[in-house]
């Protein structure tokens, strides 16, 4: 059974930084698995943020976060990360890690319970 557990979200001031983590279990994390971060702001739908191929390390980013966020993984620890820098108020959302690509915002993907990021002064 796929299990994904996110952590690291908190209240941060604009311009601040956070690192989100996602502990994965129930599948072979390092075997060229496509993993993503998606987010949902209050009153809005799911938004794709970033994707990584855990085998090749190839990464993809939404234009809204490119240059500010960095996705990475530790295959030995079965953990996915998202480094959030230069945070803006519009980054406020529940952040989820998902086993799948950008289409996880429209089709079913295994997803964790989420971690809340609030950017506010």
């Amino acid at each position: 059974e796929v299990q994904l557990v996110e952590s690291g979200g908190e209240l941060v001031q604009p311009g601040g930084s956070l690192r989100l983590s996602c502990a994965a279990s129930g599948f072979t994390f390092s075997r060229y698995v496509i993993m993503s971060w998606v987010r949902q702001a209050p009153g809005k739908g799911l938004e794709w943020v970033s994707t990584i191929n855990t085998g090749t390390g190839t990464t993809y980013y939404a234009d809204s976060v490119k240059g500010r966020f960095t996705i990475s993984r530790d295959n030995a620890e079965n953990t996915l990360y998202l480094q959030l820098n230069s945070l803006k108020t519009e980054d406020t959302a529940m952040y989820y890690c998902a086993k799948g690509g950008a289409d996880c915002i429209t089709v079913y993907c295994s997803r964790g319970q989420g971690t809340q990021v609030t950017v506010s002064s």
Side-chain angles (χ1 to χ4, degrees):
E1 179 189 1
V2 173
Q3 288 195 330
L4 301 167
V5 180
E6 301 94 336
S7 61
E10 61 182 68
L11 173 64
V12 63
Q13 292 189 340
S17 297
L18 283 175
R19 189 174 82 155
L20 308 183
S21 300
C22 171
S25 62
F27 62 101
T28 306
F29 185 80
S30 61
R31 193 165 289 178
Y32 298 91
V33 177
I34 304 300
M35 297 291 297
S36 296
W37 288 95
V38 299
R39 65 186 181 185
Q40 187 165 27
K44 297 189 176 181
L46 283 172
E47 177 189 12
W48 171 71
V49 174
S50 183
T51 293
I52 189 168
N53 180 314
T54 62
T56 65
T58 304
T59 58
Y60 307 88
Y61 297 94
D63 287 344
S64 59
V65 307
K66 199 173 294 183
R68 300 188 298 122
F69 292 7
T70 303
I71 191 171
S72 63
R73 86 291 189 206
D74 183 333
N75 288 347
E77 296 293 328
N78 288 354
T79 302
L80 181 71
Y81 299 101
L82 186 68
Q83 178 69 39
L84 293 68
N85 296 331
S86 303
L87 281 161
K88 305 176 181 179
T89 55
E90 53 262 44
D91 294 319
T92 294
M94 185 72 79
Y95 284 71
Y96 302 91
C97 69
K99 185 174 180 293
D103 59 357
C104 284
I105 64 171
T106 55
V107 301
Y108 172 78
C109 292
S110 294
R111 212 167 70 191
Q113 83 291 344
T115 187
Q116 178 68 41
V117 173
T118 302
V119 185
S120 175
S121 54

